[in-house]
Amino acid sequence: MLGVIRELIKSKGPITVAEYFKLALTHPEHGYYMNKDVFGIKGDFTTSPEISQMFGELIAVWIANEHAESRDPRPLHLVELGPGRGTLASDVTRVATKLPQLRSALSGRLFLLEVSPAMRAIQRHNTTESSSPTSVNNDNWREFETANGFRASWLDSLEQLSSQADGPCCFLAHEFLDALPFTNWRGGEWREVLIDVCSNAGLKYRLSDSPPPSDLLACIRSNETRRHIEVSPMSGDFVDQLARHVTSQGAGFALLADYGYDVANPDELKTDTLRGFRKHRVRDPLLDPGESDLTADVDFDYLKRRIARLGLPGLAVFGPSPQRAFLLQMGIAARLSALMSSSSASSETRRNHLSAARTLLESMGQRFKFLCISGSPGRLLPGCQAPPGFLPETKFT
Ligand code: SAH
């Protein structure tokens, strides 16, 4: 991948950080996500749904509650953006087999928005609990039935949803937005950070000579004090689409969870967060494109400002709420007790549950945050109750 990027720069000139990010992660041949399973102890990083079943189970209960609040009788579709190994989708649909209220709510289809053929094969394998990964190169692979009895298919883009499903959707995106391209800017006269070749066969940063486009300037907070910012217009485009979907249906909701910062908490404000990840260690992001993960912290305030710019009526946004607060309010303590007191749990299993809950609440508890975008009429009223896991005062319309 490094060779491909160097050749591209030599022929076209320096590329933006967003172009680099996109090539390194999703280049059809050499992109980081495109050919292999990158998760877990043997991979490069471990995510919350992979750490414990409790994470997906509590999200399932959250969905059941939001659906009940919406009082919308139409079948709800479950749409997951960037499902990784399919663990969150499996846990949510498994809870639905045990909770009739959730199963009757989620009576629509399961859609998985996924760019990587390798991840699609793993998702199908894990959600169908089949004995070996199925090849995804014939016409039958697009639609399948999961082990939990859901009709499932993949989406290449959210635009495809309208031709495949009518009615409200529950959108889930866990560690999806941090994997989308970010642009990188240095102030005070705001110049874009570009990536160029350097003489030693590697890559280096340089600043663009041109002034930024007006839509970037419109994205910068009027009271911005940082001299280095990251903006992800592609994440903004995704949240715009989710906001438009829930308002056009007059129902439905999205739950987005990722690591990132909240401007309401100035201590958290970050500047340069672009980093590589390999074998659970932080790497120089320019070192080995395609071989290590690339990521940056999500700016939740930017996402909220993007939604506000749409000026859509019939929309409420809650959060960001720290993962610790969300999981505690959703009853992780009670779920942990139930798992620990199960007569079939060995002492090792009990230890693992306890240590997983600690990781989710402690080391990941503040850095990871949840954002809810809701089109449910009951969430729009002034002074209405916030969804569980969120404080009413974080509402934003
Ligand atoms: N949600 C999972 C995986 C997060 S990793 C978890 O938390 O465990 C990011 C996921 O998004 C991977 O499945 C990756 O292949 C997918 N992805 C990355 N960029 C994408 C894009 N532009 N469109 C669709 N899927 C994408």
Side-chain angles (χ1 to χ4, degrees):
M1 189 75 245
L2 181 58
V4 174
I5 291 176
R6 278 181 57 89
E7 284 313 307
L8 178 75
I9 296 173
K10 281 184 193 158
S11 67
K12 264 190 54 186
I15 57 174
T16 66
V17 172
E19 285 169 309
Y20 175 76
F21 207 102
K22 187 168 181 205
L23 285 167
L25 293 188
T26 58
H27 179 278
E29 236 179 291
H30 309 292
Y32 172 74
Y33 281 115
M34 302 308 270
N35 305 304
K36 55 186 180 294
D37 184 359
V38 295
F39 300 92
I41 295 172
K42 289 191 190 147
D44 296 317
F45 57 96
T46 306
T47 62
S48 296
E50 303 287 334
I51 287 174
S52 169
Q53 66 186 80
M54 287 180 275
F55 188 81
E57 289 170 348
L58 296 175
I59 287 182
V61 174
W62 186 90
I63 296 171
N65 182 77
E66 275 316 280
H67 184 261
E69 279 294 322
S70 77
R71 298 190 175 79
D72 192 301
R74 290 174 289 172
L76 187 66
H77 303 288
L78 182 61
V79 185
E80 189 177 354
L81 283 58
R85 280 181 171 168
T87 308
L88 180 57
S90 294
D91 284 338
V92 169
T93 54
R94 174 173 53 77
V95 173
T97 64
K98 308 250 157 60
L99 204 65
Q101 181 203 351
L102 182 59
R103 188 64 185 102
S104 71
L106 288 177
S107 52
R109 287 167 57 186
L110 170 65
F111 292 98
L112 305 172
L113 177 85
E114 175 57 65
V115 68
S116 156
M119 295 316 301
R120 287 183 180 201
I122 295 167
Q123 287 153 18
R124 178 168 168 155
H125 171 59
N126 290 347
T127 56
T128 55
E129 295 172 14
S130 59
S131 50
S132 59
T134 338
S135 151
V136 290
N137 57 6
N138 66 52
D139 282 347
N140 296 330
W141 66 270
R142 267 203 165 264
E143 259 196 49
F144 60 97
E145 180 155 333
T146 71
N148 297 324
F150 280 73
R151 235 177 98 214
S153 48
W154 287 284
L155 299 172
D156 301 320
S157 69
L158 278 183
E159 283 85 15
Q160 289 178 341
L161 198 55
S162 55
S163 63
Q164 298 201 38
D166 203 12
C169 293
C170 162
F171 297 95
L172 295 179
H174 186 265
E175 285 208 34
F176 172 69
L177 299 176
D178 73 81
L180 298 179
F182 283 73
T183 58
N184 215 299
W185 301 84
R186 295 242 166 103
E189 285 197 336
W190 298 116
R191 290 285 180 266
E192 182 154 23
V193 178
L194 304 176
I195 293 174
D196 203 351
V197 289
C198 58
S199 47
N200 68 359
L203 298 168
K204 65 175 183 192
Y205 295 113
R206 56 170 281 187
L207 283 188
S208 162
D209 301 326
S210 328
S214 55
D215 57 340
L216 182 270
L217 293 173
C219 288
I220 298 178
R221 268 181 284 272
S222 51
N223 57 352
E224 183 58 78
T225 52
R226 293 171 297 165
R227 310 287 286 179
H228 188 164
I229 58 168
E230 293 160 326
V231 181
S232 174
M234 201 169 159
S235 303
D237 295 345
F238 269 105
V239 292
D240 280 3
Q241 283 178 292
L242 302 182
R244 285 208 166 89
H245 195 279
V246 300
T247 43
S248 70
Q249 290 294 331
F253 38 86
L255 188 63
L256 315 174
D258 228 303
Y259 37 78
Y261 48 87
D262 179 2
V263 280
N265 190 351
D267 295 344
E268 286 193 341
L269 267 189
K270 299 261 180 65
T271 54
D272 182 7
T273 69
L274 177 67
R275 58 203 180 271
F277 244 94
R278 193 166 183 191
K279 298 279 167 222
H280 302 264
R281 297 226 164 138
V282 175
R283 303 262 301 171
D284 177 344
L286 298 191
L287 221 48
D288 44 10
E291 300 302 319
S292 37
D293 186 24
L294 277 187
T295 183
D297 283 19
V298 172
D299 177 350
F300 286 101
D301 186 58
Y302 166 70
L303 301 179
K304 286 163 70 169
R305 281 182 287 121
R306 280 289 302 255
I307 296 172
R309 271 170 57 187
L310 296 174
L312 294 170
L315 190 71
V317 180
F318 295 90
S321 178
Q323 173 158 305
R324 177 181 170 79
F326 180 90
L327 294 178
L328 285 173
Q329 265 196 49
M330 286 308 302
I332 191 170
R335 184 63 189 132
L336 176 65
S337 299
L339 288 168
M340 302 274 282
S341 56
S342 157
S343 53
S344 59
S346 65
S347 55
E348 191 193 348
T349 306
R350 283 187 197 139
R351 260 200 313 277
N352 289 343
H353 284 312
L354 185 59
S355 128
R358 283 215 169 110
T359 305
L360 294 177
L361 295 173
E362 289 169 12
S363 47
M364 301 173 98
Q366 182 61 32
R367 262 175 64 58
F368 281 75
K369 300 193 170 61
F370 285 73
L371 192 77
C372 167
I373 304 172
S374 176
S376 292
R379 295 283 181 225
L380 305 177
L381 302 170
C384 72
Q385 270 201 331
F390 293 88
L391 293 173
E393 50 272 28
T394 65
K395 182 174 172 187
F396 171 95
T397 39

